Amino acid sequence: MNEKLQEINNAAQAAVAAISGATGIKELEDIRVEVFGKKGTLTALMKAMGGLSADERPVFGQASNAARMEVEAALNARLAELKAAEMTKRLADEALDITIPGQKPIRGGRHPMTIVTEDLCKIFMGMGFEIAEGPEVETAYHSFTALNISETHPARSEQDTFYFNENHEFLLRTCTSPVQVRVMEERKPPIRIICPGKVYRSDNVDATHSPVFHQMEGLVVDKGITFGDLKGALTVFARELFGEETVVRFRPHYFPFTEPSGEMDVQCFACQGIGCRVCKGDGWVELLGCGMVHPNVLKMCGIDPDVYSGYAFGMGLERVAMARFGVNDLRVFFENDVRFLGQFA
Ligand code: DAH
């Protein structure tokens, strides 16, 4: 019996020694299994209780209980120590110096052409216009024929137009007007659309020319549309864009696809019409071309000109952006120099 008690004591002391030497939580768990597991050292000794006499049992039971409690207490104490040490180490490892200045991310922004396009869209959408789109690769039919542009018109020449093939069937659209045709072919009046987009011309790059630039087209077709509607809508547009005091004028002009046709100028917003660098001394800045949709165009698109009438307009968006941002060279819009673009972020 004394021998058994001694064994229990020895096993408990060995366990406590192992526990105090354990350096990790996993190691501690292994010790727990070695001692208290199914085949653990104390478990095995405690099983031996079966072979004892009724007198011996309570003494042995008490001793083994005490041993178990001692080992468990040692396990829990060591576990708490190791956990605390682990936390201290993690805190040290993951220490964050919040006094180090942060790295500012570079903030992107909208391109000035995007800003202008979105602003114009907002103005026209406020007047009930929808946004329409068309392909940049166009047919000669949609670009010229359906717009009442004769076979011999210089607009068709290779000097102005990028063609894809010898027979001049496909081309890069030179203006957004073909979208008018596509919209009228597809749906019937009432139509009230604008179409912003890229256009292409065989021009050399200089301060006011680029082989690719942006335009916005507008088209309204319904019963009883007059030149008065055109003037009203475009005057409101100019005032929304450049301010309530903006003065506009309409000059007669010629376009094959409108009759009568005109151009709308705004009185120079930089000098109020006195004459300055922005308006080249003229007092006026040309903003857009416009007119009443030619009956031939309506007819070719399947709309009866005796029932319906409409107006159209087209403007270059780089020109609007240059006026709006006081830029005198449109190349800056294409060069993608972040020192320029960053100013709009
Ligand atoms: N297509 C013309 C151009 O590129 C712009 C234009 C003028 C469009 C008058 C129109 C318009 O719809 O009515 O120069």
Side-chain angles (χ1 to χ4, degrees):
M1 170 68 185
N2 275 340
E3 209 174 285
K4 286 223 166 348
L5 292 180
Q6 191 58 48
E7 265 182 70
I8 285 225
N9 195 36
N10 288 349
Q13 292 323 308
V16 168
I19 288 163
S20 67
T23 53
I25 291 172
K26 169 82 178 69
E27 193 182 339
L28 212 52
E29 283 312 312
D30 291 345
I31 293 172
R32 193 190 290 279
V33 172
E34 275 165 32
V35 179
F36 294 120
K38 263 192 196 156
K39 295 175 186 163
T41 46
L42 275 183
T43 313
L45 285 169
M46 277 145 96
K47 272 183 192 157
M49 200 153 66
L52 295 174
S53 69
D55 297 345
E56 288 170 332
R57 261 190 221 180
V59 183
F60 184 79
Q62 218 172 20
S64 61
N65 239 351
R68 186 173 55 82
M69 274 160 67
E70 188 188 350
V71 175
E72 255 167 19
L75 273 171
N76 290 341
R78 186 65 186 144
L79 184 64
E81 266 172 36
L82 289 175
K83 274 189 175 160
E86 192 172 279
M87 179 58 84
T88 309
K89 183 172 181 312
R90 253 181 71 187
L91 286 176
D93 287 351
E94 295 174 15
L96 191 67
D97 184 352
I98 56 167
T99 63
I100 294 173
Q103 272 181 345
K104 233 188 183 174
I106 298 171
R107 263 185 76 179
R110 289 181 301 166
H111 190 281
M113 290 310 301
T114 307
I115 295 174
V116 163
T117 307
E118 289 181 356
D119 285 357
L120 297 197
C121 287
K122 240 181 253 164
I123 294 174
F124 281 107
M125 281 159 72
M127 294 195 270
F129 285 72
E130 289 168 63
I131 294 171
E133 280 181 319
E136 289 172 22
V137 175
E138 260 300 358
T139 64
Y141 175 78
H142 289 94
S143 298
F144 304 125
T145 313
L147 286 167
N148 202 36
I149 296 171
S150 70
E151 287 299 328
T152 54
H153 195 281
R156 293 190 186 236
S157 93
E158 284 194 30
Q159 260 93 57
D160 291 329
T161 306
F162 291 115
Y163 284 101
F164 285 97
N165 47 9
E166 296 274 296
N167 62 7
H168 289 190
E169 196 184 349
F170 295 107
L171 49 90
L172 284 173
R173 68 180 181 190
T174 56
C175 65
T176 42
S177 301
V179 187
Q180 281 188 30
V181 176
R182 290 184 177 275
V183 170
M184 285 190 280
E185 283 175 345
E186 268 165 36
R187 42 177 157 145
K188 295 307 143 209
I191 292 168
R192 189 178 275 116
I193 53 126
I194 46 165
C195 21
K198 284 195 207 69
V199 299
Y200 304 84
R201 287 187 198 175
S202 174
D203 278 328
N204 288 322
V205 176
D206 65 27
T208 55
H209 293 87
S210 163
V212 52
F213 59 103
H214 298 80
Q215 279 193 340
M216 181 181 282
E217 190 82 7
L219 173 72
V220 173
V221 185
D222 203 351
K223 286 179 182 158
I225 298 291
T226 68
F227 203 90
D229 296 311
L230 179 160
K231 285 179 81 169
L234 292 180
T235 304
V236 167
F237 156 68
R239 292 192 178 144
E240 295 249 347
L241 185 61
F242 295 112
E244 255 179 64
E245 309 300 316
T246 304
V247 180
V248 298
R249 74 174 181 193
F250 289 84
R251 276 180 294 106
H253 199 78
Y254 172 77
F255 297 106
F257 33 88
T258 43
E259 181 59 33
S261 306
E263 282 190 322
M264 185 176 88
D265 302 334
V266 289
Q267 196 170 65
C268 182
F269 23 80
C271 66
Q272 269 73 44
I274 296 161
C276 69
R277 228 164 32 99
V278 174
C279 57
K280 300 197 184 76
D282 193 33
W284 295 92
V285 178
E286 182 194 315
L287 194 62
L288 53 84
C290 56
M292 300 306 290
V293 182
H294 198 292
N296 288 351
V297 175
L298 291 174
K299 245 185 269 174
M300 278 185 276
C301 296
I303 293 174
D304 185 350
D306 291 329
V307 180
Y308 294 104
S309 56
Y311 67 82
F313 54 90
M315 73 187 98
L317 297 184
E318 275 74 9
R319 183 184 289 242
V320 175
M322 286 165 81
R324 160 95 180 267
F325 298 121
V327 167
N328 56 16
D329 190 330
L330 66 69
R331 284 172 285 202
V332 292
F333 295 128
F334 298 101
E335 282 164 352
N336 288 336
D337 184 331
V338 289
R339 290 169 301 178
F340 172 71
L341 297 178
Q343 299 174 55
F344 300 90

